[in-house]
Amino acid sequence: QVQLVESGGGVVQPGGSLRLSCAASGFTFSSKGMLWVRQAPGKGLEWVAVIWYDGSNQNYADSVKGRFTISRDNSKSMVYLQMNSLRAEDTAVYYCARENWVEATKGNLDYWGQGTLVTVSS
Amino acid sequence: EIVLTQSPGSLSLSPGERATLSCRASQRINTNYFAWYQQKPGQAPRLLIYGTSTRATGIPDRFSGSGSGTDFTLTISRLEPEDFALYYCQHYDTSASWTFGQGTKVEIK
């Protein structure tokens, strides 16, 4: 069965860095785009970043552009989120999610990890 | 950038009642790129509906989606106790970005 397991969250000071990891299993990892989506405490969902199935391209929300970097290692079925220059407003649960295209439909996030909490505080 | 506005913000209903949730886009969107998710406290979101009206694997048929243009609806025909949760609409843009609505909470009356 498909599983996504995030790790790497924790408490970090403003201006600090953190690297999140997401271990994928149960599907052909190298054929799917992968995303990070975050949810601040008590708030809604916010897309953060996406990486193409082959790692050839990435895209970022304006709120994290220039500070966060998404990457993947298809040989290990892993996706990463390097977060630099962290701010208090980056405090959130970070989920990795699999993108699935079904026929003409796109952008469906059909599997999600359980999330990892990042707290940015001094 | 497309903005999705969900209404109402919360809905108080009893088990067995019908729930109708709305999501309005700030401009016309492709129905193939529109989805709904359910989220329960302490859990990750779960895909319910994709392509506006197709149920995801394992989703019961009491959940249905409809809409076109700028107006989209998620209907739960008869609420079961496990359906009381938060619901989000989502749009995928071909620039490879995703937008979520702010959510509708379905509460037990």
mmCIF file of all heavy atoms in Angstrom, chain B residues 41-72:
data_model
loop_
_atom_site.group_PDB
_atom_site.id
_atom_site.type_symbol
_atom_site.label_atom_id
_atom_site.label_comp_id
_atom_site.label_asym_id
_atom_site.label_seq_id
_atom_site.Cartn_x
_atom_site.Cartn_y
_atom_site.Cartn_z
ATOM 1 N N PRO B 41 -9.716 16.071 12.727
ATOM 2 C CA PRO B 41 -8.710 16.605 13.669
ATOM 3 C C PRO B 41 -7.535 15.658 13.843
ATOM 4 O O PRO B 41 -7.714 14.448 14.054
ATOM 5 C CB PRO B 41 -9.513 16.749 14.961
ATOM 6 C CG PRO B 41 -10.920 16.945 14.524
ATOM 7 C CD PRO B 41 -11.076 16.098 13.284
ATOM 8 N N GLY B 42 -6.335 16.221 13.730
ATOM 9 C CA GLY B 42 -5.119 15.450 13.934
ATOM 10 C C GLY B 42 -4.759 14.517 12.799
ATOM 11 O O GLY B 42 -3.817 13.729 12.926
ATOM 12 N N GLN B 43 -5.495 14.609 11.704
ATOM 13 C CA GLN B 43 -5.228 13.732 10.562
ATOM 14 C C GLN B 43 -4.846 14.543 9.325
ATOM 15 O O GLN B 43 -5.148 15.737 9.226
ATOM 16 C CB GLN B 43 -6.447 12.875 10.237
ATOM 17 C CG GLN B 43 -6.819 11.895 11.338
ATOM 18 C CD GLN B 43 -7.971 10.979 10.916
ATOM 19 O OE1 GLN B 43 -8.284 10.856 9.721
ATOM 20 N NE2 GLN B 43 -8.596 10.346 11.884
ATOM 21 N N ALA B 44 -4.231 13.872 8.373
ATOM 22 C CA ALA B 44 -3.941 14.480 7.079
ATOM 23 C C ALA B 44 -5.223 14.588 6.262
ATOM 24 O O ALA B 44 -6.192 13.849 6.488
ATOM 25 C CB ALA B 44 -2.926 13.643 6.332
ATOM 26 N N PRO B 45 -5.254 15.501 5.317
ATOM 27 C CA PRO B 45 -6.399 15.558 4.405
ATOM 28 C C PRO B 45 -6.517 14.256 3.604
ATOM 29 O O PRO B 45 -5.531 13.550 3.390
ATOM 30 C CB PRO B 45 -6.064 16.736 3.490
ATOM 31 C CG PRO B 45 -5.105 17.566 4.271
ATOM 32 C CD PRO B 45 -4.296 16.591 5.078
ATOM 33 N N ARG B 46 -7.756 13.989 3.173
ATOM 34 C CA ARG B 46 -8.029 12.809 2.351
ATOM 35 C C ARG B 46 -8.757 13.269 1.100
ATOM 36 O O ARG B 46 -9.742 14.032 1.191
ATOM 37 C CB ARG B 46 -8.885 11.814 3.136
ATOM 38 C CG ARG B 46 -9.296 10.587 2.333
ATOM 39 C CD ARG B 46 -10.023 9.561 3.157
ATOM 40 N NE ARG B 46 -11.355 9.926 3.571
ATOM 41 C CZ ARG B 46 -12.366 9.067 3.709
ATOM 42 N NH1 ARG B 46 -12.171 7.794 3.425
ATOM 43 N NH2 ARG B 46 -13.530 9.471 4.137
ATOM 44 N N LEU B 47 -8.297 12.799 -0.052
ATOM 45 C CA LEU B 47 -8.945 13.154 -1.309
ATOM 46 C C LEU B 47 -10.326 12.498 -1.368
ATOM 47 O O LEU B 47 -10.453 11.287 -1.215
ATOM 48 C CB LEU B 47 -8.086 12.693 -2.491
ATOM 49 C CG LEU B 47 -8.651 12.937 -3.890
ATOM 50 C CD1 LEU B 47 -8.763 14.425 -4.189
ATOM 51 C CD2 LEU B 47 -7.776 12.241 -4.938
ATOM 52 N N LEU B 48 -11.354 13.328 -1.604
ATOM 53 C CA LEU B 48 -12.722 12.819 -1.728
ATOM 54 C C LEU B 48 -13.152 12.757 -3.191
ATOM 55 O O LEU B 48 -13.662 11.743 -3.667
ATOM 56 C CB LEU B 48 -13.706 13.746 -1.012
ATOM 57 C CG LEU B 48 -13.714 13.825 0.503
ATOM 58 C CD1 LEU B 48 -14.749 14.854 0.947
ATOM 59 C CD2 LEU B 48 -14.021 12.459 1.109
ATOM 60 N N ILE B 49 -13.001 13.890 -3.867
ATOM 61 C CA ILE B 49 -13.527 14.085 -5.211
ATOM 62 C C ILE B 49 -12.442 14.742 -6.053
ATOM 63 O O ILE B 49 -11.785 15.688 -5.582
ATOM 64 C CB ILE B 49 -14.758 15.022 -5.197
ATOM 65 C CG1 ILE B 49 -15.881 14.491 -4.318
ATOM 66 C CG2 ILE B 49 -15.237 15.324 -6.616
ATOM 67 C CD1 ILE B 49 -16.712 13.376 -4.928
ATOM 68 N N TYR B 50 -12.253 14.261 -7.273
ATOM 69 C CA TYR B 50 -11.353 14.927 -8.199
ATOM 70 C C TYR B 50 -12.043 15.108 -9.537
ATOM 71 O O TYR B 50 -13.087 14.480 -9.783
ATOM 72 C CB TYR B 50 -10.025 14.165 -8.344
ATOM 73 C CG TYR B 50 -10.167 12.774 -8.931
ATOM 74 C CD1 TYR B 50 -10.057 12.571 -10.307
ATOM 75 C CD2 TYR B 50 -10.401 11.673 -8.115
ATOM 76 C CE1 TYR B 50 -10.176 11.304 -10.851
ATOM 77 C CE2 TYR B 50 -10.522 10.408 -8.652
ATOM 78 C CZ TYR B 50 -10.400 10.227 -10.012
ATOM 79 O OH TYR B 50 -10.532 8.974 -10.553
ATOM 80 N N GLY B 51 -11.475 15.986 -10.360
ATOM 81 C CA GLY B 51 -12.127 16.263 -11.636
ATOM 82 C C GLY B 51 -13.558 16.733 -11.435
ATOM 83 O O GLY B 51 -14.445 16.399 -12.231
ATOM 84 N N THR B 52 -13.789 17.488 -10.361
ATOM 85 C CA THR B 52 -15.091 18.070 -9.989
ATOM 86 C C THR B 52 -16.113 17.054 -9.481
ATOM 87 O O THR B 52 -16.862 17.343 -8.551
ATOM 88 C CB THR B 52 -15.709 18.875 -11.156
ATOM 89 O OG1 THR B 52 -14.861 19.981 -11.454
ATOM 90 C CG2 THR B 52 -17.102 19.379 -10.821
ATOM 91 N N SER B 53 -16.166 15.849 -10.097
ATOM 92 C CA SER B 53 -17.301 14.965 -9.803
ATOM 93 C C SER B 53 -16.947 13.493 -9.650
ATOM 94 O O SER B 53 -17.855 12.680 -9.429
ATOM 95 C CB SER B 53 -18.356 15.106 -10.904
ATOM 96 O OG SER B 53 -17.793 14.772 -12.153
ATOM 97 N N THR B 54 -15.690 13.119 -9.757
ATOM 98 C CA THR B 54 -15.298 11.713 -9.656
ATOM 99 C C THR B 54 -14.869 11.390 -8.229
ATOM 100 O O THR B 54 -13.964 12.036 -7.691
ATOM 101 C CB THR B 54 -14.158 11.390 -10.628
ATOM 102 O OG1 THR B 54 -14.558 11.708 -11.961
ATOM 103 C CG2 THR B 54 -13.791 9.910 -10.542
ATOM 104 N N ARG B 55 -15.519 10.391 -7.658
ATOM 105 C CA ARG B 55 -15.133 9.987 -6.308
ATOM 106 C C ARG B 55 -13.792 9.266 -6.320
ATOM 107 O O ARG B 55 -13.531 8.420 -7.184
ATOM 108 C CB ARG B 55 -16.202 9.081 -5.690
ATOM 109 C CG ARG B 55 -17.414 9.833 -5.152
ATOM 110 C CD ARG B 55 -18.359 8.877 -4.431
ATOM 111 N NE ARG B 55 -18.877 7.861 -5.335
ATOM 112 C CZ ARG B 55 -19.903 8.037 -6.145
ATOM 113 N NH1 ARG B 55 -20.529 9.208 -6.159
ATOM 114 N NH2 ARG B 55 -20.301 7.064 -6.932
ATOM 115 N N ALA B 56 -12.956 9.587 -5.336
ATOM 116 C CA ALA B 56 -11.687 8.886 -5.189
ATOM 117 C C ALA B 56 -11.938 7.464 -4.701
ATOM 118 O O ALA B 56 -13.040 7.130 -4.243
ATOM 119 C CB ALA B 56 -10.797 9.641 -4.210
ATOM 120 N N THR B 57 -10.913 6.634 -4.792
ATOM 121 C CA THR B 57 -11.020 5.244 -4.394
ATOM 122 C C THR B 57 -11.507 5.124 -2.950
ATOM 123 O O THR B 57 -10.963 5.749 -2.050
ATOM 124 C CB THR B 57 -9.660 4.543 -4.536
ATOM 125 O OG1 THR B 57 -9.212 4.688 -5.878
ATOM 126 C CG2 THR B 57 -9.764 3.074 -4.180
ATOM 127 N N GLY B 58 -12.538 4.310 -2.757
ATOM 128 C CA GLY B 58 -13.020 4.023 -1.418
ATOM 129 C C GLY B 58 -13.971 5.043 -0.827
ATOM 130 O O GLY B 58 -14.428 4.888 0.306
ATOM 131 N N ILE B 59 -14.285 6.090 -1.570
ATOM 132 C CA ILE B 59 -15.186 7.124 -1.059
ATOM 133 C C ILE B 59 -16.629 6.690 -1.290
ATOM 134 O O ILE B 59 -17.010 6.370 -2.423
ATOM 135 C CB ILE B 59 -14.903 8.480 -1.725
ATOM 136 C CG1 ILE B 59 -13.445 8.904 -1.487
ATOM 137 C CG2 ILE B 59 -15.879 9.544 -1.224
ATOM 138 C CD1 ILE B 59 -13.043 9.001 -0.032
ATOM 139 N N PRO B 60 -17.459 6.690 -0.253
ATOM 140 C CA PRO B 60 -18.845 6.229 -0.395
ATOM 141 C C PRO B 60 -19.668 7.130 -1.308
ATOM 142 O O PRO B 60 -19.381 8.323 -1.451
ATOM 143 C CB PRO B 60 -19.394 6.249 1.040
ATOM 144 C CG PRO B 60 -18.392 6.916 1.877
ATOM 145 C CD PRO B 60 -17.121 7.028 1.142
ATOM 146 N N ASP B 61 -20.711 6.535 -1.887
ATOM 147 C CA ASP B 61 -21.469 7.262 -2.896
ATOM 148 C C ASP B 61 -22.406 8.317 -2.311
ATOM 149 O O ASP B 61 -23.099 9.016 -3.067
ATOM 150 C CB ASP B 61 -22.230 6.317 -3.827
ATOM 151 C CG ASP B 61 -23.226 5.434 -3.089
ATOM 152 O OD1 ASP B 61 -23.446 5.644 -1.882
ATOM 153 O OD2 ASP B 61 -23.783 4.515 -3.727
ATOM 154 N N ARG B 62 -22.421 8.479 -0.997
ATOM 155 C CA ARG B 62 -23.195 9.587 -0.433
ATOM 156 C C ARG B 62 -22.480 10.931 -0.681
ATOM 157 O O ARG B 62 -23.074 11.979 -0.523
ATOM 158 C CB ARG B 62 -23.456 9.404 1.065
ATOM 159 C CG ARG B 62 -22.234 9.373 1.945
ATOM 160 C CD ARG B 62 -22.641 9.168 3.415
ATOM 161 N NE ARG B 62 -21.475 9.160 4.305
ATOM 162 C CZ ARG B 62 -20.790 8.060 4.576
ATOM 163 N NH1 ARG B 62 -21.134 6.895 4.034
ATOM 164 N NH2 ARG B 62 -19.759 8.113 5.404
ATOM 165 N N PHE B 63 -21.199 10.862 -1.073
ATOM 166 C CA PHE B 63 -20.456 12.062 -1.431
ATOM 167 C C PHE B 63 -20.572 12.272 -2.945
ATOM 168 O O PHE B 63 -20.319 11.351 -3.733
ATOM 169 C CB PHE B 63 -18.976 11.934 -1.067
ATOM 170 C CG PHE B 63 -18.705 11.948 0.402
ATOM 171 C CD1 PHE B 63 -18.669 10.759 1.126
ATOM 172 C CD2 PHE B 63 -18.478 13.137 1.070
ATOM 173 C CE1 PHE B 63 -18.422 10.766 2.496
ATOM 174 C CE2 PHE B 63 -18.216 13.165 2.433
ATOM 175 C CZ PHE B 63 -18.199 11.967 3.147
ATOM 176 N N SER B 64 -20.935 13.492 -3.342
ATOM 177 C CA SER B 64 -20.976 13.802 -4.766
ATOM 178 C C SER B 64 -20.513 15.238 -4.995
ATOM 179 O O SER B 64 -20.682 16.105 -4.121
ATOM 180 C CB SER B 64 -22.377 13.600 -5.340
ATOM 181 O OG SER B 64 -23.302 14.481 -4.725
ATOM 182 N N GLY B 65 -19.914 15.451 -6.159
ATOM 183 C CA GLY B 65 -19.437 16.777 -6.511
ATOM 184 C C GLY B 65 -20.016 17.218 -7.836
ATOM 185 O O GLY B 65 -20.284 16.391 -8.710
ATOM 186 N N SER B 66 -20.196 18.513 -7.959
ATOM 187 C CA SER B 66 -20.728 19.064 -9.202
ATOM 188 C C SER B 66 -20.219 20.483 -9.373
ATOM 189 O O SER B 66 -19.636 21.071 -8.441
ATOM 190 C CB SER B 66 -22.253 19.033 -9.199
ATOM 191 O OG SER B 66 -22.753 19.864 -8.157
ATOM 192 N N GLY B 67 -20.471 21.027 -10.560
ATOM 193 C CA GLY B 67 -20.119 22.427 -10.784
ATOM 194 C C GLY B 67 -19.456 22.658 -12.113
ATOM 195 O O GLY B 67 -19.096 21.720 -12.833
ATOM 196 N N SER B 68 -19.308 23.918 -12.435
ATOM 197 C CA SER B 68 -18.630 24.351 -13.646
ATOM 198 C C SER B 68 -18.401 25.850 -13.542
ATOM 199 O O SER B 68 -19.000 26.516 -12.674
ATOM 200 C CB SER B 68 -19.445 24.013 -14.891
ATOM 201 O OG SER B 68 -20.656 24.747 -14.882
ATOM 202 N N GLY B 69 -17.526 26.339 -14.428
ATOM 203 C CA GLY B 69 -17.277 27.780 -14.432
ATOM 204 C C GLY B 69 -16.590 28.241 -13.169
ATOM 205 O O GLY B 69 -15.418 27.962 -12.948
ATOM 206 N N THR B 70 -17.323 28.941 -12.327
ATOM 207 C CA THR B 70 -16.763 29.443 -11.076
ATOM 208 C C THR B 70 -17.422 28.855 -9.833
ATOM 209 O O THR B 70 -16.975 29.128 -8.719
ATOM 210 C CB THR B 70 -16.893 30.979 -10.987
ATOM 211 O OG1 THR B 70 -18.287 31.331 -11.047
ATOM 212 C CG2 THR B 70 -16.146 31.666 -12.129
ATOM 213 N N ASP B 71 -18.484 28.071 -10.005
ATOM 214 C CA ASP B 71 -19.251 27.590 -8.854
ATOM 215 C C ASP B 71 -19.252 26.070 -8.756
ATOM 216 O O ASP B 71 -19.651 25.383 -9.706
ATOM 217 C CB ASP B 71 -20.701 28.105 -8.937
ATOM 218 C CG ASP B 71 -20.754 29.612 -8.747
ATOM 219 O OD1 ASP B 71 -20.142 30.100 -7.777
ATOM 220 O OD2 ASP B 71 -21.394 30.286 -9.572
ATOM 221 N N PHE B 72 -18.822 25.571 -7.610
ATOM 222 C CA PHE B 72 -18.671 24.140 -7.388
ATOM 223 C C PHE B 72 -19.320 23.754 -6.060
ATOM 224 O O PHE B 72 -19.347 24.553 -5.118
ATOM 225 C CB PHE B 72 -17.187 23.768 -7.391
ATOM 226 C CG PHE B 72 -16.546 24.029 -8.723
ATOM 227 C CD1 PHE B 72 -16.122 25.312 -9.071
ATOM 228 C CD2 PHE B 72 -16.402 23.011 -9.656
ATOM 229 C CE1 PHE B 72 -15.561 25.566 -10.307
ATOM 230 C CE2 PHE B 72 -15.840 23.250 -10.898
ATOM 231 C CZ PHE B 72 -15.424 24.532 -11.227
#
